[in-house]
Amino acid sequence: MFIISLVLVVLHSVAIAGFFLVRDHVATSITEDLDRAEHVFAQAQTSRFDNLLTVARSVRDEPSLIAAALTGDIATVRGMLEDLYPRPGADFIAVYLDTGPGGVAGAGSKPHYTSPQILGSDELLTLVRSLANGSAISFGNSLMYDSWLQMVAVPSENPLGGRVGALIVGKRFSEKDLNGLRQLVYADLAIFSGNLLLASSIDNLQPPLLRFDYDASDGSNETLDVDGERYGVRALPIRTRIGSDANAAHVLLAAKYAKYWLPYKQLGTTALYFSLLILLLAALFGISISRRSLTRPIQLLARATQAIADGDMTHKVSLDRNDELGQLTTSFNAMLSALGTSQSELRQSQKRFKYA
């Protein structure tokens, strides 16, 4: 039992130490993966804006649109936009005229994209003002009801010199985009604004998201429980434009703890089987040692005691050991020898007394 208990203590200590080491390693791995996911997400957004810029320049350089803008008539521009739309790579196009009476015309994949509330929103007008102040390009993000649009604004120029207005092209971030981006960042993603969930690769995220204080996370790792699954998460703000403190939405990067613990659980299951095997071998070894070290010597001494009780003083215990049991055996044999000698002398004295 001592050997088995010792093995159990060792295995238990190793399991506890291993758990804390694995826990720290999992936390470090999640942090590293979220760092990488954040970096890849930023690169992906830069690439999307570059693609939008290419689309914006191609639309701006359309001769028919340039001619319509030169008329200064917003109705003519609106009609030309309807002819040019839909446009690959764009979900929203708007033209703001500087010439004539001015005005704005828009075309988009959803009716509300061209509503006066959207076309006159601060996010879009800020991009237009940025161009008016001398910027060659202006990038921004806008939340249009339930859609996150990434936008690029470029000046619409008169071929003879000067500018006639501003052109804004926007691309909606869809579920398809989210799933494609998920393959790049190797993490789950969600796009949300306040309590409004715009897109998510995590099922049933809305209820726990209501309890998540993303403003307090300041870009650090937090934990979020979704239907019994624990995630390491990081919330990043999506700014309305570069240099602005206003947020159009937030992106949530999430790493599932179970995925990181799975190989260690499998290893733990295998280690458990080996531990049981080790315990079995230790038990068999302990029983064998016990039988050779304790049970057999005690049985020999017990038989010798029974022999003495039966009057056999010539019995000897045969046990060649150098430990305490060996010393006890030597003392026991010496005692038997002394008792045998004493009995022999007693018998001889009795004989001399009888025949005296």
Side-chain angles (χ1 to χ4, degrees):
M1 288 300 296
F2 172 76
I3 294 177
I4 296 176
S5 300
L6 182 61
V7 171
L8 282 173
V9 169
V10 171
L11 291 176
H12 186 65
S13 301
V14 170
I16 293 176
F19 169 79
F20 285 109
L21 289 174
V22 170
R23 185 191 64 178
D24 293 341
H25 179 70
V26 166
T28 301
S29 298
I30 288 177
T31 298
E32 291 175 349
D33 285 353
L34 290 181
D35 287 341
R36 183 185 56 79
E38 181 179 347
H39 179 68
V40 173
F41 177 79
Q43 287 183 324
Q45 299 321 296
T46 300
S47 177
R48 283 173 63 88
F49 277 119
D50 288 341
N51 292 336
L52 265 178
L53 180 58
T54 300
V55 175
R57 285 171 172 167
S58 69
V59 174
R60 180 192 61 182
D61 295 338
E62 286 283 347
S64 57
L65 186 60
I66 294 174
L70 288 175
T71 65
D73 180 33
I74 198 62
T76 303
V77 173
R78 184 178 295 109
M80 190 54 62
L81 276 181
E82 292 175 354
D83 291 339
L84 293 175
Y85 193 85
R87 193 83 174 185
D91 291 312
F92 168 76
I93 301 176
V95 173
Y96 292 78
L97 287 182
D98 296 339
T99 59
V104 55
S109 59
K110 292 189 176 184
H112 63 264
Y113 287 175
T114 58
S115 66
Q117 293 86 349
I118 294 296
L119 296 177
S121 64
D122 288 339
E123 291 89 343
L124 273 66
L125 293 179
T126 299
L127 296 180
V128 174
R129 294 189 194 103
S130 177
L131 297 181
N133 292 332
S135 297
I137 306 168
S138 187
F139 300 96
N141 296 284
S142 178
L143 184 64
M144 296 186 178
Y145 297 100
D146 60 347
S147 302
W148 165 34
L149 265 72
Q150 296 167 295
M151 301 177 297
V152 172
V154 294
S156 181
E157 298 173 345
N158 188 328
L160 300 178
R163 50 170 277 167
V164 295
L167 173 74
I168 297 179
V169 173
K171 183 73 172 68
R172 176 176 175 265
F173 191 88
S174 64
E175 289 279 357
K176 181 180 179 181
D177 296 321
L178 182 123
N179 292 328
L181 188 57
R182 183 188 180 194
Q183 303 303 317
L184 291 176
V185 302
Y186 292 102
D188 281 299
L189 290 163
I191 307 298
F192 64 97
S193 177
N195 295 329
L196 177 62
L197 186 62
L198 305 176
S200 175
S201 64
I202 305 173
D203 295 332
N204 300 321
L205 179 62
Q206 184 72 63
L209 188 62
L210 296 175
R211 302 186 296 270
F212 180 54
D213 188 6
Y214 53 88
D215 286 329
S217 65
D218 62 17
S220 59
N221 291 353
E222 303 288 340
T223 58
L224 194 65
D225 292 328
V226 182
D227 288 344
E229 289 282 0
R230 172 155 290 193
Y231 290 83
V233 299
R234 183 179 300 176
L236 304 174
I238 299 172
R239 305 297 187 189
T240 55
R241 56 186 175 83
I242 297 175
S244 172
D245 293 331
N247 298 327
H250 282 80
V251 58
L252 187 76
L253 304 174
K256 187 184 294 185
Y257 271 84
K259 182 183 73 173
Y260 293 85
W261 277 99
L262 180 60
Y264 297 107
K265 287 183 177 179
Q266 294 173 340
L267 180 62
T269 301
T270 304
L272 177 61
Y273 292 142
F274 276 106
S275 298
L276 293 175
L277 178 61
I278 291 172
L279 282 175
L280 178 61
L281 294 176
L284 294 175
F285 180 73
I287 292 172
S288 175
I289 293 295
S290 176
R291 288 180 64 86
R292 286 194 302 169
S293 302
L294 296 174
T295 306
R296 182 172 173 272
I298 291 175
Q299 287 176 345
L300 291 175
L301 290 173
R303 284 197 294 268
T305 303
Q306 185 62 45
I308 295 172
D310 294 337
D312 184 7
M313 297 298 175
T314 62
H315 188 87
K316 298 293 182 183
V317 179
S318 178
L319 187 64
D320 186 15
R321 294 175 59 144
N322 296 323
D323 56 7
E324 289 81 357
L325 284 175
Q327 295 175 1
L328 177 61
T329 300
T330 301
S331 299
F332 193 85
N333 287 333
M335 181 190 71
L336 286 178
S337 178
L339 284 174
T341 301
S342 298
Q343 283 191 345
S344 177
E345 291 177 352
L346 179 59
R347 284 194 295 270
Q348 290 177 1
S349 297
Q350 287 176 343
K351 286 180 181 181
R352 285 195 300 269
F353 178 76
K354 181 177 180 180
Y355 294 106

